[in-house]
Amino acid sequence: TMGGGDHTGRLTNGVMQVGGNFTQTSAGSPLSFAASGSHQVSLVGPTSTINFQSPGTTASRFQNLTITGGVSASLATRTVVAGNVSLSGALTLGGRTLEVGGNLSLSNPGTVSMTNALDSVLVAGNATMNGGASTGLLTAGVLRVGGSFAQTGGNNAAFDASGTHRT
């Protein structure tokens, strides 16, 4: 749990490994987890829920986020990543929004589950899908990519959207 005072300029480098849930509270400041620079949070599992009480590009956010293989993560709230997201684990949005200021990269066996109409992944940069099979996992919600979109690698089901899902 991250709370307390304003962390602006204090989370600028290094890697924070989280083996359980990540919770940001704004009891002391809405900037109690204001990562920047090259700071990275790595979820190393096995399960993790991400919960920001005051998420935003000018409030609390991750700079870079990695969800490693074998980790099953879910969003409890809107989540903002100012930089890049690397995903080789599983991420379930659960009716929430993931905002990525940089690039989104899925590598095998990574998956994103978007089965709720309110699910949104908003990527300012590029999205590369080289993850696990997504058949039945991308059935609703919106994936918006500001840069290039690519499905790479040998897995033809790495991006297998259906239903009401929009890209």
Side-chain angles (χ1 to χ4, degrees):
T1 299
M2 297 297 295
D6 183 341
H7 281 89
T8 302
R10 295 183 178 167
L11 299 168
T12 60
N13 200 356
V15 177
M16 177 185 289
Q17 290 190 335
V18 179
N21 296 332
F22 178 93
T23 302
Q24 176 270 328
T25 64
S26 57
S29 170
L31 293 164
S32 62
F33 198 86
S36 60
S38 62
H39 189 269
Q40 177 179 317
V41 171
S42 291
L43 301 180
V44 295
T47 61
S48 183
T49 299
I50 300 169
N51 187 344
F52 277 92
Q53 190 173 22
S54 53
T57 55
T58 59
S60 286
R61 74 244 171 219
F62 294 124
Q63 177 60 35
N64 296 298
L65 175 64
T66 298
I67 301 174
T68 60
V71 175
S72 179
S74 61
L75 302 184
T77 58
R78 171 181 166 229
T79 298
V80 176
V81 181
N84 301 317
V85 173
S86 299
L87 178 61
S88 60
L91 176 63
T92 300
L93 271 61
R96 309 299 194 279
T97 298
L98 174 65
E99 297 177 27
V100 182
N103 300 318
L104 171 66
S105 176
L106 274 72
S107 59
N108 202 13
T111 58
V112 174
S113 179
M114 299 176 70
T115 59
N116 184 310
L118 299 176
D119 290 341
S120 294
V121 177
L122 312 174
V123 182
N126 302 324
T128 303
M129 305 299 179
N130 185 22
S134 65
T135 305
L137 298 178
L138 301 171
T139 59
V142 175
L143 169 62
R144 185 173 51 199
V145 180
S148 299
F149 176 90
Q151 178 180 336
T152 61
N155 187 353
N156 292 335
F159 188 79
D160 188 8
S162 62
T164 60
H165 179 85
R166 294 179 298 143
T167 301

